[in-house]
Amino acid sequence: MATGWADLRAALATTPTTWPPTGLRDYLTALELHDTTAGQLRALERDPGQIGHTAAPLSIPILDTMRAVEAALVELADQAAAALQRPPMSRAPETWPIAERERRNRLAAEDAADPRRWGAPGRRRTAPHAALWLLAVVEGRPGPWTPLDAAQRAWIHRIAAEAARRIETALDLHDATAALTRPCTTCGGQIIVHGGAGARPLARCRGCGATWHAPEHAAA
């Protein structure tokens, strides 16, 4: 999940995608209207180069996914730390001998600043940091926390799995199909779009078997 965050950041500045792909739907519409004057005018109205059309500087669906995933993972880390993380060592009472007090206070400061702690100074409250901290806890690595019980492990796994699913969906890592509302202009049959998992979208008519590929620039 921490590695998938870098892919989300890369996708954030790209053109937003929808399913079925908007580019393929527009391409099929253009084919349908290609030989009519009205169609040419309608295509011109949708031209991104026309005045008044400004592409979003960021992919809003990707941004929404990043915000939702980060909020969920940081909240999960907060709750897990509250339940599992050992409090920092206390400082020595002023009544202790100075040498023992200095030693105890030094150990207490080191314990509070332990980089393995969630909430330690310098630890950023981000999705990648939360994911890596949770992974260390789930894998039972040494740290200032108690071992997970079965219920706690299932709880963390459920929320982390949902966050991973959201990332994979946003990055189009799954195979997908969808039916277009527009019927085939040749036979009136239903058109099904196949794609996802990085594949170039393909539309196929269930009636006559005609197929259409998305143009290269619309496949993303």
Side-chain angles (χ1 to χ4, degrees):
M1 191 183 307
T3 55
W5 199 253
D7 295 331
L8 282 176
R9 287 193 177 280
L12 183 60
T14 63
T15 302
T17 59
T18 58
W19 188 258
T22 302
L24 181 53
R25 287 182 294 178
D26 290 347
Y27 177 60
L28 293 174
T29 300
L31 289 177
E32 179 183 347
L33 302 175
H34 182 268
D35 293 326
T36 67
T37 302
Q40 292 170 359
L41 292 174
R42 287 176 60 189
L44 182 61
E45 291 172 357
R46 292 192 303 273
D47 184 356
Q50 296 303 303
I51 295 175
H53 182 282
T54 304
L58 297 176
S59 170
I60 301 304
I62 294 292
L63 182 61
D64 288 345
T65 297
M66 294 178 71
R67 286 175 172 171
V69 168
E70 186 157 74
L73 291 181
V74 169
E75 175 66 17
L76 177 59
D78 285 343
Q79 294 179 5
L84 303 168
Q85 191 163 260
R86 173 180 53 77
M89 180 185 297
S90 61
R91 293 175 60 84
E94 292 297 326
T95 55
W96 283 23
I98 186 169
E100 294 183 16
R101 188 168 71 245
E102 289 178 349
R103 178 178 177 278
R104 171 63 178 248
N105 290 344
R106 183 176 66 254
L107 292 175
E110 292 173 355
D111 188 29
D114 188 338
R116 296 172 299 177
R117 284 186 175 278
W118 178 251
R123 178 175 285 278
R124 299 173 59 192
R125 294 172 59 81
T126 64
H129 282 82
L132 292 173
W133 183 82
L134 290 165
L135 179 63
V137 172
V138 168
E139 291 184 344
R141 298 178 191 174
W145 47 72
T146 58
L148 291 168
D149 60 29
Q152 291 167 334
R153 185 179 298 275
W155 164 55
I156 292 176
H157 175 76
R158 176 176 57 82
I159 297 177
E162 173 61 18
R165 185 195 65 78
R166 288 195 177 200
I167 291 174
E168 291 174 356
T169 299
L171 294 175
D172 189 25
L173 299 181
H174 295 296
D175 294 329
T177 60
L180 297 183
T181 56
R182 178 180 297 106
C184 175
T185 56
T186 300
C187 71
Q190 186 179 44
I191 298 176
I192 304 297
V193 181
H194 305 267
R200 185 181 175 192
L202 167 72
R204 183 185 304 275
C205 174
R206 282 182 167 176
C208 63
T211 59
W212 302 267
H213 277 286
E216 290 290 350
H217 62 79

